[in-house]
Amino acid sequence: MYCSNRFSFQECLVLAILLAGIQNIHVHAEEEVHKFLECSNQTGANSFRLYLTLDELVMDCMLVGNAASARQYRNKLELYKSAGLRPKMEIYNRTNSFAFTFTLNMETTTWRVIIPRHNITINTGTAPVDQWYVEISMFHGFAALNAKADLLETLKGTLLDVAREPILQWTIGEEILPQDVLVHQHLIKKLQVTQSPCASDVAVMAPLFAPEGHHTGVVLSVTMSSFTSSGRWFNVTKSLCNLINALCTSGCRGITLLNLKLTNCHLFLLTNRGLFVSQDLLSPVTGPLNFTLLFHPALAQIDYSSATLWFSSECITNRLYFSDDYVSLISNEGSGMALNSKCVYSGYPFKDWYACQVAAVDRHGDTKHRYLSFLYDRYQHTGLLLSYVETNPVAMLSVFTILKSGLKNEAKITPTFLPNYYPSGIFLRNTHVIIYGQEVWASSDRGASFQKLLSLKDDAVVDVLSCNYNSLLVLLTAWGKVFIMRAGLERYSILNVVLTGATFLQCDHMGTLMAVKLDGTSPGGLSHRILPIDTLIQEDVQPFPTTLALQYISPVSVLLHEFPLTLATDPVSNLGTYHIGKIFSLRHGGQIAITDVFQTHFVPGFVYCARGDVLKPVNSLSIYEEPLQKFDLLNQKFDEQGTLAILTPRTTRGKPPPGFEPRHVGMTVVSPGLSSFIIVEASLGQALTRVTMPDPLFNRNLNSGRWLLFDTRPGNWSLHEGPCLHTLESVENLRHNALVRINVRETLSFTFKALKTDHSFSLTRFKKRMKVALTNPTAMRVTARHYWDKTNNHILTLTVYSHVCKKATTLVTVFIPEASLVCSRSSFTFTLENACPEGLSIVYLPSQPISDHEWIYGDPEDENDNKRLFDLPVNYRPPSQLGVLIPTTDNIYNADPSKPRPRQHYPVSKVLRMIYPLLNFNITLFLRRANQADQPLRSPYFVTVTEVNNRTNWAVTGTHHTTTMTMMRRYLKDGFNRTFYNPNGLQISCYGSELFHFRISVIPGVVLCDLVEEVQIYVDKAPLAFPAAYVISCMTAIALGGFLVLGFLLKNISPPTPRNLRALLTRGKAKVAPEAEDENQD
C-alpha cells in the first residue's frame, strides 16, 4: 500500500490495519454503519446512556470482529497496541469539553477507562446542569482518517449527572407500582409529559383521566432514561388534598390533573382544584417534595376546570438568570359578550402574579379578547400574548416589554392579525415564534411578521415538540399525524405514522424521536418504539392537483411552471417555499431537485414557478407512445399579449402528421432553450397552448428532434424528499448547540462551509447556499461575508462584535434551505451570550514570578538575599492607626479556631514580603482567560483600589492619565463617587508596616462580571510603631543627656574630699538670740 508523505508512519500503519480488517467490520444493512467498537451500557446500535454518580465513572469497550479463536483476537489486540491505537472518550456540553483515553487490559481483552468524578466536575450540589454528550472513537485524532469522517461511525451517547439533576433528588409523594395505574388504563384519555430544561432524558409524565371516569387523582412517573427503562411512579393525590382541605370547604373529591410543567427549579401541577407549585427543587432534601396551593388575588377569578398552563422551556444553569423562568395561566368561560377570559403570569421565584391583557390602544369599545396563550421570550425580554376576537373573527399576537411591575401598557411592535383563524397556541422555538392550529405560522423576527408554513383542512396541530440536538421540530395533530421540520422551517414532511391518544412523543437528548405508550406487559409500565425519521420521511409523497410545465433553461437547470387546469378567477398555488429541497420525480423517469420557488409569475394563467437542478435526465414520452414527435410544429401567435400560441403539426418528409387530440390537454411541449407550451385545448389537430415565457419567436417551425412532449399532469409526477446531498461544517470545529460567551468590546469570528456530500461540482456558480437567522439581532453586531473556494463551495464567515454592556442573548442558526430533511448536518446552531466569558479574571503578576511550588513549599529570595515571602502568624490581625497591638479590623488571616486570638507567631500562611520603605510599588495586572494568553490590563478597564482592613497609611502614587480616563471620570462624576485609576502604570506606596491587603476591582459598566484581584503585601523591617518609638526616643534622649551632664561635672569640678563632705553634713544652723535677752544685756 502506498502512503502519502504527509502522513506519519503511525498513521500509515493505522490505515493498513483498517484496510486489512475491513472484512471483519459488521455492516448494518439499513444504516450502513461501520463499527469497530462495542462498549458497555449501550442502549442501541450506536448509542449508550451513562450516569454520573458521586463515584468514579467506569466504561469498558471491546473490538467487534469475527476472529476464529480467542488467540486470533488477542493477536489483533496486540497489533492495535503496537500501532498505538486505543479508544478515546470525549465528554462535552455547551461550554466544556474533556478527553480521556482507554487502557488495554490483555487479561480481560477489553479497553477500560476509569474517570474520577472530580475530573469531570467538582460540583456536587443540586442544580440545573447540562446533560453531557459522549463520543468514543477508535481512530480519534488521526489525520489520515479526517478526510473521510464517515468511514467509521463514532459511538455516541449521553452522560447524565444524576447526583445533581434537581427532580431526581426528590420523592414526589407516595411511591407506587405502575400496575396500580394500569388497572385504570381504560379511563386514561391522554398522557401528558414535561421534560427537564437541561436534560432531555429526564422527564415527568402524568396520565390524564377522563372526567366521567370513576378514578381521579394525580399520578406522576419520573424517568432519567427518556422512558426507555423503568422509572419511579408516585401518587401525590394525598399531599395535594391535604392542602386543599386546609384552605377550602369544597373538599378534594374529584381532583384531576390537567397539565404539568417542569421548570429549572420548580414543578407546577395544574388541577381542576387549583395550581400547585413545588418547593424549590434546589433546596436541601429533608423529606418528600412539598407543594403549595397558590392563593393570590390575581388567581381568585380563575376557572381552573378550563385553565391552561404555559411555559417556554429554556435551560438556565446560571442562578443570575433564573428570573427568565416565566409561567402563565389562562382560563376562558362563556362566549360572545358573556366571555370571561383571564390571563396571569409570574416569574421566578413565582411569588408575585400579574395580569396580562392586550394593549389599551387595541381594546376597541366592547370588543372582547379570548386569551389563548402567553409565553416569555428571553431573547427579547418580551411577553407574547395570543388572543382571539370572536366578533371579527381574527387572531392577534401582541408583543409587550416586561417590566418589574408587569406588562408595559403599549405593545412593543404593531400586533399581528391573522384573519379567519382560531389558533391553538404559541410555541417558542430557538429561531422562530410559531402559532399553531389548523394552520401553522412562523415568525423569524420574534413576532413582527409571520409566514404560513402549513394549512390543514380537517385537522389541527395540538402539540409541538423540539429536538435541539438535531434541530428537529415535530408537530402532532389531533388525528395523530406527525409533521416534521428542520432548522429554518423552510419546509415540512409528513411521517408515515399515526399515533393514538394514549401515546405521546418523546425526543431524547440525542435527538431520537420515540412514541411512548402505557404497556401492561412492561415491568416499568411503559413501552417505546423509535420512529426512524429518515425512512419515514422518504415514504412521504406530496402530489397536488396541478400541472407543472417543464422548461429547460440550461442542460442541467429547469423551470417548473405551476398551471391549474381548472379555470379560477383567483387560483390558489400549491407550490411554496417549503418545497425547496424536494425532489420532483416523473413517472417516465427523471429527477429534479428544487432549489428556488418564485411566488409571482409574469405570465397570466400560471401561479408559481420553481427552479431546479437536474439530478437524473428527465424522460419525455417515447416516440412509440407519441409518434407526433417525429413531425415539425408551426408556432403561431394567438393573442395580442403573446401569452397564447397555436401549434400546428406539419407534413415532414412527405408524411401527413397525426394531429393533437383532447387527450393531450395538460401535456407540455418542450423545446430546450426556448419557451415551453402547455396544451390547454386541442381541436382539428391543432393545439391551443399557454406559453411559459412571453413573446416567444412566433411564426417559425419547431423542427423534429428540437422539441419533445412531456406528460407532467397530476398523477405522473410526485414531490418527495431525496437523499442528502449537502453537509454543513464549522471550520473552527465549533460544537453544535455550543454556548459562546462574548466579552464586551470583544470580536469573534465563526466560519462555515457548505459542501456537497457526493463531492460533485456545484452546477450553479457563486450561489449562496447558506442562510443565517438571529433571535436577537440588536444584542450584538453581526456581519456576514460570503465567498467561494476553488471548487465552488460556499463559505460564510460571521464576525460578531459585542458593543453594548448589558445582559443579552442571541441564538445563531446557519442552515442550508435546499438540503434534504434527511440530512443530519445541514444546519448549525449556537448561542451567543453577552456575558462574562468562562474563566475571565484579572491577576497580579510580580515582576519576578513566584512559582506555585515556591508559594507552598519554598522560601525564595531576591537579588539582595531578602526573603520574598513572609509567614503570617495564626489568627493574625493587621495593625491599625492606634498601634501595632491594637488591631481594629474583623478580618483574621491564617485562622485557626483551636489557637488563641493574640498575636502569637506560628509561621504557616505566606504573603508577599517587601522591605520598608515601600514607595511607588508597581501593581502589574493582567486579563486572564481560559485557553488564552494573559493580556495586560489596559484602558477602559479602569480600577478602584481599597484596603480591606481600612488602613489609611498608604496611597496610589502612580497611574497613566489618559483622555479616556478623564472623560470617564467626568461622565461618572454624579453616579460613581469613587476614584478610579488606569491599571496601566498603577503604583502604590505604603507608609506603614506589616500586612496591607489591597482589593483592586474593575469599575462597573465595563464588563458584565465582577473582576477583582486581591494583593497582600507584608512590609517588613519598618521603624517601631507608635507609641513605642516615641517612648524609647524620649528615654534614650534623657539618659544620654544625663550622661553628658555627669561627664561635664566630672571634668570641670574637683572631686570632693572627706573633710568637705563632713563639713557639708555637720554644718550648724545659725543662732538668733531672743529680743528680751538682748534688752537685759543692754
Side-chain angles (χ1 to χ4, degrees):
M1 183 191 73
Y2 172 75
C3 195
S4 174
N5 292 332
R6 67 189 185 97
F7 298 134
S8 65
F9 174 77
Q10 184 186 28
E11 291 171 336
C12 292
L13 182 59
V14 170
L15 284 175
I17 295 174
L18 174 62
L19 295 176
I22 200 73
Q23 59 182 353
N24 296 327
I25 300 176
H26 284 193
V27 178
H28 299 264
E30 295 182 358
E31 301 180 359
E32 295 185 355
V33 177
H34 303 273
K35 289 182 58 181
F36 256 74
L37 286 173
E38 258 184 0
C39 298
S40 58
N41 299 302
Q42 284 191 226
T43 56
N46 253 53
S47 63
F48 52 84
R49 288 188 174 89
L50 301 177
Y51 301 100
L52 183 63
T53 64
L54 296 179
D55 301 324
E56 56 191 15
L57 178 66
V58 181
M59 191 170 190
D60 295 319
C61 292
M62 63 182 299
L63 283 178
V64 174
N66 55 355
S69 64
R71 182 177 180 180
Q72 291 183 354
Y73 183 79
R74 294 176 66 89
N75 291 339
K76 182 184 290 188
L77 288 179
E78 291 287 356
L79 183 61
Y80 278 75
K81 181 180 179 181
S82 62
L85 290 178
R86 50 181 176 173
K88 177 172 288 187
M89 173 189 288
E90 194 168 7
I91 301 175
Y92 62 92
N93 58 14
R94 293 187 299 168
T95 55
N96 298 311
S97 176
F98 308 100
F100 306 95
T101 305
F102 286 73
T103 302
L104 179 61
N105 187 339
M106 291 301 297
E107 295 183 359
T108 60
T109 64
T110 60
W111 282 284
R112 167 168 288 194
V113 62
I114 301 176
I115 308 173
R117 177 185 173 88
H118 63 80
N119 285 354
I120 302 176
T121 177
I122 60 175
N123 299 313
T124 57
T126 303
V129 292
D130 283 324
Q131 187 173 352
W132 300 85
Y133 295 102
V134 182
E135 292 184 0
I136 300 178
S137 174
M138 186 68 192
F139 300 94
H140 179 81
F142 285 94
L145 298 179
N146 289 343
K148 186 63 177 175
D150 294 333
L151 179 62
L152 296 173
E153 184 72 10
T154 300
L155 297 180
K156 298 180 180 180
T158 58
L159 175 64
L160 176 64
D161 194 343
V162 296
R164 303 192 67 195
E165 182 61 32
I167 193 64
L168 299 181
Q169 314 306 315
W170 295 92
T171 299
I172 320 176
E174 178 187 358
E175 194 158 2
I176 60 176
L177 297 175
Q179 288 71 23
D180 299 335
V181 181
L182 292 175
V183 296
H184 307 285
Q185 184 174 353
H186 61 287
L187 300 176
I188 298 175
K189 63 175 182 178
K190 185 180 179 182
L191 300 178
Q192 193 76 28
V193 65
T194 175
Q195 291 176 284
S196 170
C198 295
S200 300
D201 285 349
V202 177
V204 182
M205 186 274 296
L208 305 185
F209 296 95
E212 63 276 6
H214 300 287
H215 180 85
T216 57
V218 180
V219 178
L220 305 176
S221 176
V222 180
T223 181
M224 63 180 184
S225 61
S226 198
F227 299 105
T228 58
S229 60
S230 299
R232 301 175 67 188
W233 289 78
F234 302 98
N235 189 344
V236 295
T237 307
K238 184 177 180 179
S239 59
L240 300 184
C241 286
N242 290 337
L243 297 174
I244 295 176
N245 295 331
L247 297 175
C248 305
T249 58
S250 58
C252 188
R253 183 178 178 82
I255 183 174
T256 302
L257 185 68
L258 302 178
N259 205 339
L260 73 164
K261 298 296 180 183
L262 179 61
T263 71
N264 287 280
C265 305
H266 293 273
L267 175 62
F268 284 83
L269 302 178
L270 175 62
T271 71
N272 58 347
R273 292 291 188 270
L275 179 62
F276 297 85
V277 58
S278 72
Q279 70 183 91
D280 195 330
L281 299 176
L282 310 187
S283 59
V285 179
T286 57
L289 185 64
N290 296 320
F291 286 86
T292 301
L293 176 59
L294 292 180
F295 186 78
H296 193 274
L299 304 174
Q301 299 180 355
I302 294 291
D303 177 21
Y304 288 100
S305 62
S306 63
T308 55
L309 189 64
W310 298 91
F311 169 68
S312 181
S313 181
E314 190 76 32
C315 177
I316 303 174
T317 59
N318 190 337
R319 183 175 289 271
L320 297 176
Y321 293 85
F322 282 171
S323 57
D324 287 345
D325 266 358
Y326 279 81
V327 171
S328 64
L329 186 65
I330 293 178
S331 70
N332 291 284
E333 294 180 274
S335 60
M337 299 306 299
L339 174 65
N340 183 20
S341 187
K342 298 294 181 182
C343 173
V344 294
Y345 75 94
S346 179
Y348 178 88
F350 309 107
K351 301 297 183 183
D352 300 319
W353 289 78
Y354 304 95
C356 45
Q357 58 183 5
V358 295
V361 295
D362 299 318
R363 296 195 292 269
H364 305 290
D366 296 332
T367 300
K368 288 192 174 183
H369 289 257
R370 178 183 292 270
Y371 300 127
L372 302 176
S373 178
F374 179 86
L375 290 178
Y376 171 73
D377 184 357
R378 70 183 296 257
Y379 296 105
Q380 299 280 353
H381 193 60
T382 55
L384 282 73
L385 177 62
L386 180 64
S387 60
Y388 178 75
V389 180
E390 295 179 345
T391 55
N392 281 359
V394 63
M396 186 176 77
L397 180 73
S398 305
V399 181
F400 298 91
T401 300
I402 293 184
L403 307 175
K404 291 184 178 180
S405 58
L407 295 180
K408 196 173 182 179
N409 194 36
E410 296 182 358
K412 182 179 180 180
I413 56 178
T414 303
T416 300
F417 296 93
L418 303 177
N420 301 317
Y421 174 49
Y422 186 86
S424 301
I426 312 176
F427 182 81
L428 280 185
R429 196 170 184 266
N430 290 336
T431 56
H432 290 77
V433 177
I434 299 172
I435 299 178
Y436 60 91
Q438 195 169 9
E439 299 173 348
V440 179
W441 295 74
S443 170
S444 59
D445 50 17
R446 315 311 288 179
S449 61
F450 282 83
Q451 179 182 2
K452 184 189 292 186
L453 301 180
L454 177 64
S455 180
L456 304 174
K457 293 184 178 179
D458 300 322
D459 205 350
V461 175
V462 295
D463 198 8
V464 182
L465 180 67
S466 180
C467 304
N468 293 329
Y469 179 79
N470 48 12
S471 301
L472 191 69
L473 185 73
V474 184
L475 310 174
L476 179 64
T477 71
W479 291 102
K481 295 181 180 179
V482 181
F483 293 78
I484 70 160
M485 297 180 179
R486 292 280 188 186
L489 305 184
E490 297 287 341
R491 64 183 188 279
Y492 64 87
S493 183
I494 306 175
L495 299 186
N496 188 21
V497 64
V498 177
L499 303 180
T500 61
T503 303
F504 66 90
L505 290 176
Q506 174 80 1
C507 191
D508 69 4
H509 205 64
M510 290 296 297
T512 303
L513 186 62
M514 297 177 292
V516 185
K517 66 177 182 179
L518 292 173
D519 188 355
T521 62
S522 174
L526 296 168
S527 63
H528 73 282
R529 62 187 176 107
I530 297 177
L531 301 181
I533 296 177
D534 293 352
T535 303
L536 295 175
I537 286 177
Q538 293 177 340
E539 294 175 357
D540 174 36
V541 179
Q542 300 179 10
F544 42 83
T546 56
T547 295
L548 294 180
L550 182 70
Q551 178 186 355
Y552 273 90
I553 57 177
S554 76
V556 294
S557 185
V558 299
L559 294 177
L560 298 173
H561 303 269
E562 183 181 8
F563 183 79
L565 293 178
T566 58
L567 297 178
T569 57
D570 188 15
V572 178
S573 174
N574 296 281
L575 196 64
T577 56
Y578 47 85
H579 287 113
I580 295 177
K582 296 284 186 182
I583 303 299
F584 174 83
S585 297
L586 250 67
R587 181 171 61 88
H588 296 88
Q591 288 188 345
I592 299 170
I594 297 178
T595 58
D596 294 292
V597 173
F598 308 101
Q599 298 184 353
T600 57
H601 206 289
F602 42 80
V603 178
F606 293 97
V607 189
Y608 281 4
C609 178
R611 179 175 179 169
D613 294 334
V614 178
L615 300 180
K616 295 181 180 180
V618 182
N619 296 330
S620 64
L621 297 174
S622 67
I623 201 72
Y624 302 102
E625 293 178 288
E626 293 295 340
L628 181 62
Q629 298 176 96
K630 297 180 181 179
F631 298 85
D632 299 341
L633 294 178
L634 176 63
N635 172 21
Q636 295 176 298
K637 186 177 181 180
F638 182 78
D639 62 341
E640 294 182 358
Q641 294 78 17
T643 60
L644 295 175
I646 295 292
L647 297 181
T648 305
R650 306 191 66 178
T651 301
T652 304
R653 291 184 291 274
K655 296 181 179 179
F660 286 102
E661 301 176 6
R663 64 183 180 86
H664 290 124
V665 173
M667 294 186 182
T668 306
V669 174
V670 178
S671 179
L674 300 176
S675 172
S676 294
F677 306 84
I678 184 168
I679 302 174
V680 297
E681 185 179 337
S683 176
L684 302 176
Q686 294 179 324
L688 177 64
T689 64
R690 177 79 65 175
V691 298
T692 58
M693 295 181 65
D695 295 327
L697 298 176
F698 291 110
N699 299 320
R700 59 173 294 181
N701 284 336
L702 297 178
N703 296 329
S704 173
R706 295 284 300 171
W707 68 274
L708 296 170
L709 192 61
F710 289 82
D711 190 355
T712 56
R713 294 175 294 185
N716 293 309
W717 60 268
S718 63
L719 284 175
H720 59 89
E721 284 295 327
C724 181
L725 300 176
H726 301 85
T727 185
L728 186 63
E729 292 183 356
S730 169
V731 176
E732 296 89 0
N733 294 321
L734 184 69
R735 294 195 180 279
H736 188 63
N737 292 324
L739 174 61
V740 181
R741 294 186 175 97
I742 183 172
N743 198 11
V744 182
R745 291 175 304 279
E746 183 181 12
T747 301
L748 298 178
S749 296
F750 308 92
T751 302
F752 303 92
K753 180 183 288 189
L755 302 170
K756 298 291 289 292
T757 55
D758 57 355
H759 304 284
S760 62
F761 190 79
S762 178
L763 301 176
T764 306
R765 296 284 295 174
F766 307 126
K767 180 179 180 180
K768 295 181 180 180
R769 298 190 179 275
M770 289 179 280
K771 287 186 177 181
V772 183
L774 302 175
T775 57
N776 188 4
T778 62
M780 49 204 77
R781 297 174 186 170
V782 180
T783 57
R785 175 173 172 255
H786 299 267
Y787 52 102
W788 291 260
D789 61 11
K790 294 181 179 180
T791 57
N792 203 28
N793 292 315
H794 181 203
I795 302 176
L796 170 66
T797 297
L798 299 178
T799 303
V800 183
Y801 174 71
S802 176
H803 65 292
V804 180
C805 186
K806 67 176 182 179
K807 184 182 74 171
T809 304
T810 184
L811 190 130
V812 183
T813 300
V814 182
F815 61 97
I816 305 176
E818 63 188 74
S820 171
L821 288 176
V822 300
C823 292
S824 60
R825 294 184 295 180
S826 61
S827 65
F828 200 96
T829 301
F830 63 100
T831 302
L832 283 172
E833 188 175 79
N834 199 23
C836 187
E838 191 77 16
L840 184 67
S841 62
I842 58 173
V843 294
Y844 162 69
L845 297 178
S847 56
Q848 297 181 2
I850 301 176
S851 66
D852 294 340
H853 183 272
E854 289 176 330
W855 274 105
I856 301 175
Y857 305 106
D859 193 10
E861 297 179 349
D862 60 12
E863 62 277 4
N864 298 322
D865 297 332
N866 294 318
K867 292 185 177 181
R868 301 186 62 197
L869 298 177
F870 183 84
D871 295 327
L872 282 180
V874 169
N875 295 332
Y876 172 81
R877 298 172 72 190
S880 67
Q881 298 303 112
L882 301 178
V884 176
L885 298 178
I886 312 177
T888 59
T889 179
D890 293 330
N891 298 324
I892 300 174
Y893 296 81
N894 195 19
D896 186 352
S898 64
K899 304 293 183 181
R901 280 286 183 92
R903 296 163 56 89
Q904 300 178 11
H905 290 256
Y906 296 91
V908 175
S909 182
K910 292 184 178 183
V911 295
L912 195 63
R913 178 179 179 267
M914 292 294 168
I915 303 298
Y916 185 90
L918 185 62
L919 301 176
N920 298 326
F921 179 72
N922 291 317
I923 302 293
T924 307
L925 298 171
F926 290 85
L927 191 66
R928 176 168 293 178
R929 189 170 177 180
N931 302 322
Q932 294 186 14
D934 293 342
Q935 299 293 329
L937 198 64
R938 294 286 187 267
S939 169
Y941 287 89
F942 302 118
V943 297
T944 61
V945 183
T946 58
E947 209 287 325
V948 174
N949 299 302
N950 299 319
R951 300 189 67 178
T952 58
N953 50 349
W954 65 275
V956 175
T957 55
T959 184
H960 286 177
H961 292 274
T962 61
T963 305
T964 304
M965 187 178 70
T966 304
M967 295 176 60
M968 185 72 77
R969 282 182 174 178
R970 188 182 305 115
Y971 178 76
L972 298 176
K973 180 179 180 180
D974 297 330
F976 192 74
N977 56 4
R978 298 175 60 185
T979 304
F980 54 85
Y981 309 93
N982 189 346
N984 186 18
L986 184 63
Q987 293 179 334
I988 294 178
S989 296
C990 299
Y991 307 115
S993 64
E994 296 200 18
L995 182 66
F996 285 86
H997 186 167
F998 296 107
R999 179 174 291 139
I1000 305 173
S1001 307
V1002 175
I1003 63 174
V1006 176
V1007 67
L1008 291 169
C1009 56
D1010 296 330
L1011 295 181
V1012 180
E1013 173 66 324
E1014 298 191 359
V1015 180
Q1016 299 177 8
I1017 304 173
Y1018 192 92
V1019 180
D1020 204 2
K1021 295 185 178 181
L1024 292 176
F1026 176 87
Y1030 296 97
V1031 174
I1032 294 175
S1033 298
C1034 292
M1035 293 180 63
T1036 302
I1038 293 173
L1040 182 59
F1043 282 116
L1044 291 175
V1045 172
L1046 180 60
F1048 176 79
L1049 294 176
L1050 294 176
K1051 183 176 181 181
N1052 297 286
I1053 301 177
S1054 59
T1057 62
R1059 182 181 177 182
N1060 293 337
L1061 292 175
R1062 283 195 303 269
L1064 181 63
L1065 296 174
T1066 59
R1067 178 179 298 175
K1069 296 182 180 180
K1071 296 181 179 180
V1072 180
E1075 184 178 354
E1077 292 181 355
D1078 291 343
E1079 291 178 356
N1080 293 333
Q1081 289 179 359
D1082 291 340

